[in-house]
Amino acid sequence: MAGLVLAWALAGCAGAGGVGGEPKTAAQSPDRAWGPVMVAIAKADLYDDEKTVVDLIPRRAPGLIVEDYQKRTAGGALSRAELNAFVQDNFDEPPENEARLSESADTPIDEHIKNLWPYLTRDPAATDEGQWSSLVVLPHRYVVPGGRFNEMFYWDSFFTMLGLAHSDRYDLVRDMVDNFAWLIDQYGFIPNGTRTYFLTRSQPPFFASMVGLLAEHDGDDVYQRYLPELEKEYEYWMRGAETLAPGQASEHVVRLADGTLLNRYHGSENTPRPESYAGEIALANKASNRPAAEVYGALRAAAESGWDFSSRWMADGSQQTTIATRDILPVDLNALLFHLEKTLAHAWQLEGDHARADQFEQRAETRREAINRIFWDADRGLYTDYDWREHRLSEVVSAAMVYPLAFGVADQGRADAVAAAVERELLRPGGMVTTNRHTGEQWDAPNGWAPLQWLAVEGLARYGQTRLAATIAGRWIDTNQRVFDQTGKLVEKYNVENPGVGGGGEYEVVDGFGWTNGVLLDLMARYPQATRTP
């Protein structure tokens, strides 16, 4: 608690801001703006979902709330009932997402998704949570995932945009790409999501894919329009690379002993995430043989990966207490940065700066060679992550192996081997499982996630593995349809080993759901023969 109280004090009680599209500062994150109160609420377990704590909306200046709280606790801690009354007096609970549609029970699933877009769309001009909310005020409209997620998330949004494109909602695609460009201009990178407590970390860098999607419709000048922001995103992920010595790491970059430069997830800070504060303190206490700051840093890096949480990040392959995300070079992140380098080469070529284009083309080819050398497990015929401290490949078999196919990094031989590995290790009755390990983590078996199905289909089709691509797409479409037939909902993740139920994990299954909707519409358009009616 002391660290958060100090952070709050240094923040000067965090003044107002963020109104009318002006950027909010990280000092307004709840752990800084009203840290002592946030800690008390989190530790008292007043809410089933810890995210609710940091989404509470102060009714007055946070500094005044903290001052009042400290006066009331001068003689001792408040009882649970007293603390709850204090919260009710000083905060409003975040608004719930509304997804109840007025439509007939036999509405086809694709029409249901198109009917959902207005319910998941937020207009900043009509959204006012007050100047002390943790919500970052964006300049344009955006689509939220749904359920507990009432803000714009980074990598979710690309897959949501796929569905918007199939719904002829390029107006929203443009607005969202503009929002992401604005975030890069304001903060120097794209945060995990548009909450102040997310402003210290990013998520998988799909901005180049968003630009490419929009360019398919609006033309190549889109690349030139967003070239400054593409450059800034690249600089963020590569910061510190130029001065990095062999065998060293800094932020998101690692230089191996042989000089090879690659990237990792980092997460920036070494404190508990505000949205999971009490749970992460409890986890660090269980990992009593490790410095707590090391555990917190690894948890933040895993959150930045989007795979929070997975056996990919666990040193022993199963227990969160061994989480070591910063020691892992992820194959998927490096494939994404290859794609960003290729996109920058294309954008500079369009701009007429051939020297700059050649520079990024060379960087991409250098990374391609490194990915195919460092992450390739020849014995198993698949791509996997690399532990740069232990100098060894990860034993975890995960769906991250499809990224080098989706972004054109692999050669045909490796792509064919990956297809065999996916079919052998990950294919299940309801689609592709995330890993082949059952750990209880939501990014492990038995769960399947929409973005990974899409990337697998995209990558396999790219290398001529059309049968397996169609199989994964068909099984995933059927899984979505089964749950929709039973519940009328589209959910965040699915159990693909027992199709017909939503997946489990860190929190209750969330419906809505942005990226599920987007991927399903795209796959149904590609594979209409796999689509059925209730």
Side-chain angles (χ1 to χ4, degrees):
M1 176 174 174
L4 284 181
V5 174
L6 177 61
W8 170 80
L10 291 174
C13 302
V19 180
E22 295 176 5
K24 292 185 175 184
T25 66
Q28 290 178 292
S29 178
D31 56 316
R32 292 173 168 85
W34 39 282
V37 181
M38 188 210 82
V39 170
I41 299 170
K43 287 189 170 182
D45 197 23
L46 291 186
Y47 297 94
D48 293 336
D49 185 349
E50 285 197 79
K51 187 177 186 298
T52 304
V53 177
V54 286
D55 289 351
L56 290 171
I57 304 167
R59 293 179 181 168
R60 55 188 175 128
L64 297 177
I65 294 175
V66 173
E67 184 179 350
D68 189 9
Y69 173 78
Q70 290 176 330
K71 287 179 181 178
R72 295 194 187 196
T73 56
L78 300 179
S79 69
R80 182 181 175 85
E82 290 171 333
L83 179 60
N84 188 58
F86 181 83
V87 172
Q88 299 303 314
D89 288 342
N90 287 279
F91 296 89
D92 290 320
E93 293 191 5
E96 293 185 5
N97 280 314
E98 175 60 69
R100 290 173 291 182
L101 306 183
S102 298
E103 60 183 20
S104 62
D106 60 351
T107 300
I109 196 168
D110 54 340
E111 289 186 23
H112 172 75
I113 292 172
K114 293 173 184 177
N115 292 341
L116 265 176
W117 294 133
Y119 290 86
L120 296 175
T121 300
R122 300 290 176 268
D123 184 350
T127 304
D128 184 12
E129 291 192 5
Q131 60 182 328
W132 298 298
S133 165
S134 62
L135 189 67
V136 173
V137 181
L138 295 169
H140 307 288
R141 297 169 303 163
Y142 54 94
V143 176
V144 302
R148 72 198 287 264
F149 304 116
N150 205 17
E151 53 278 314
M152 187 176 74
F153 279 80
Y154 184 1
W155 78 309
D156 294 58
S157 293
F158 168 68
F159 300 97
T160 299
M161 289 176 190
L162 293 171
L164 292 171
H166 281 288
S167 305
D168 197 25
R169 293 302 310 272
Y170 277 96
D171 58 321
L172 275 174
V173 174
R174 291 186 198 97
D175 277 352
M176 292 175 73
V177 176
D178 279 343
N179 279 331
F180 285 115
W182 180 88
L183 287 166
I184 292 173
D185 290 337
Q186 294 296 319
Y187 301 110
F189 73 107
I190 296 175
N192 185 141
T194 52
R195 294 279 178 181
T196 53
Y197 51 82
F198 288 144
L199 292 178
T200 57
R201 67 175 186 265
S202 189
Q203 262 195 335
F206 274 89
F207 182 63
S209 297
M210 298 176 190
V211 171
L213 177 66
L214 186 57
E216 288 177 12
H217 184 268
D218 286 4
D220 272 357
D221 64 335
V222 169
Y223 288 104
Q224 294 166 272
R225 185 188 319 155
Y226 296 108
L227 178 53
E229 289 79 20
L230 289 164
E231 280 269 6
K232 289 176 187 175
E233 165 130 295
Y234 186 71
E235 290 167 3
Y236 168 76
W237 286 97
M238 300 305 295
R239 190 165 58 207
E242 292 182 0
T243 58
L244 205 59
Q248 290 186 344
S250 176
E251 297 186 61
H252 296 101
V253 288
V254 176
R255 193 175 294 280
L256 301 180
D258 65 359
T260 301
L261 184 67
L262 290 163
N263 289 78
R264 65 175 179 173
Y265 289 109
H266 187 255
S268 181
E269 296 187 342
N270 300 310
T271 55
R273 291 177 298 153
E275 71 275 18
S276 302
Y277 183 80
E280 294 194 353
I281 287 179
L283 180 67
N285 288 337
K286 289 181 183 178
S288 56
N289 61 327
R290 304 176 64 189
E294 180 181 290
V295 176
Y296 299 143
L299 290 167
R300 283 178 174 268
E304 187 171 64
S305 79
W307 291 46
D308 45 341
F309 293 96
S310 170
S311 56
R312 289 180 71 190
W313 317 127
M314 316 304 176
D316 71 351
S318 62
Q319 301 298 317
Q320 270 200 37
T321 50
T322 70
I323 190 167
T325 320
R326 291 176 178 173
D327 294 350
I328 302 299
L329 297 179
V331 63
D332 45 0
L333 173 60
N334 282 280
L336 282 165
L337 287 167
F338 166 85
H339 178 60
L340 177 53
E341 288 163 343
K342 294 287 284 187
T343 300
L344 281 163
H346 180 59
W348 279 115
Q349 195 72 37
L350 292 170
E351 192 72 9
D353 191 331
H354 304 301
R356 193 82 170 123
D358 289 346
Q359 182 184 48
F360 277 104
E361 192 66 43
Q362 182 57 53
R363 289 183 185 182
E365 291 309 311
T366 299
R367 191 182 295 270
R368 184 202 299 274
E369 185 278 332
I371 291 172
N372 286 321
R373 173 169 48 88
I374 300 297
F375 298 105
W376 183 248
D377 186 329
D379 292 337
R380 294 186 293 177
L382 51 82
Y383 292 99
T384 190
D385 302 321
Y386 183 78
D387 187 321
W388 67 274
R389 292 192 188 276
E390 297 291 333
H391 314 292
R392 62 174 177 81
L393 288 167
S394 170
E395 296 179 359
V396 177
V397 176
S398 83
M401 72 170 80
V402 304
Y403 275 73
L405 278 63
F407 293 104
V409 177
D411 56 38
Q412 190 64 48
R414 286 183 173 87
D416 292 344
V418 166
V422 167
E423 189 159 17
R424 180 180 69 247
E425 303 283 353
L426 301 178
L427 186 62
R428 298 292 187 271
M432 186 181 66
V433 75
T434 311
T435 75
N436 59 5
R437 297 188 176 193
H438 291 78
T439 65
E441 303 292 351
Q442 64 177 358
W443 288 87
D444 281 318
N447 288 348
W449 295 76
L452 300 180
Q453 315 299 315
W454 187 88
L455 288 159
V457 171
E458 177 80 2
L460 291 165
R462 181 172 191 153
Y463 285 87
Q465 292 286 342
T466 54
R467 179 194 58 80
L468 182 56
T471 298
I472 293 172
R475 292 185 184 187
W476 182 253
I477 291 169
D478 184 65
T479 296
N480 282 228
Q481 185 72 61
R482 286 192 192 193
V483 174
F484 181 73
D485 291 348
Q486 295 169 13
T487 67
K489 296 179 179 180
L490 288 144
V491 297
E492 179 191 25
K493 54 187 177 283
Y494 294 83
N495 182 332
V496 296
E497 294 183 344
N498 181 21
V501 298
E506 306 296 315
Y507 41 80
E508 291 186 8
V509 175
V510 177
D511 64 8
F513 190 85
W515 64 16
T516 301
N517 303 348
V519 166
L520 184 57
L521 283 184
D522 187 78
L523 293 183
M524 288 174 68
R526 292 193 194 194
Y527 299 94
Q529 69 278 9
T531 303
R532 62 179 175 82
T533 55

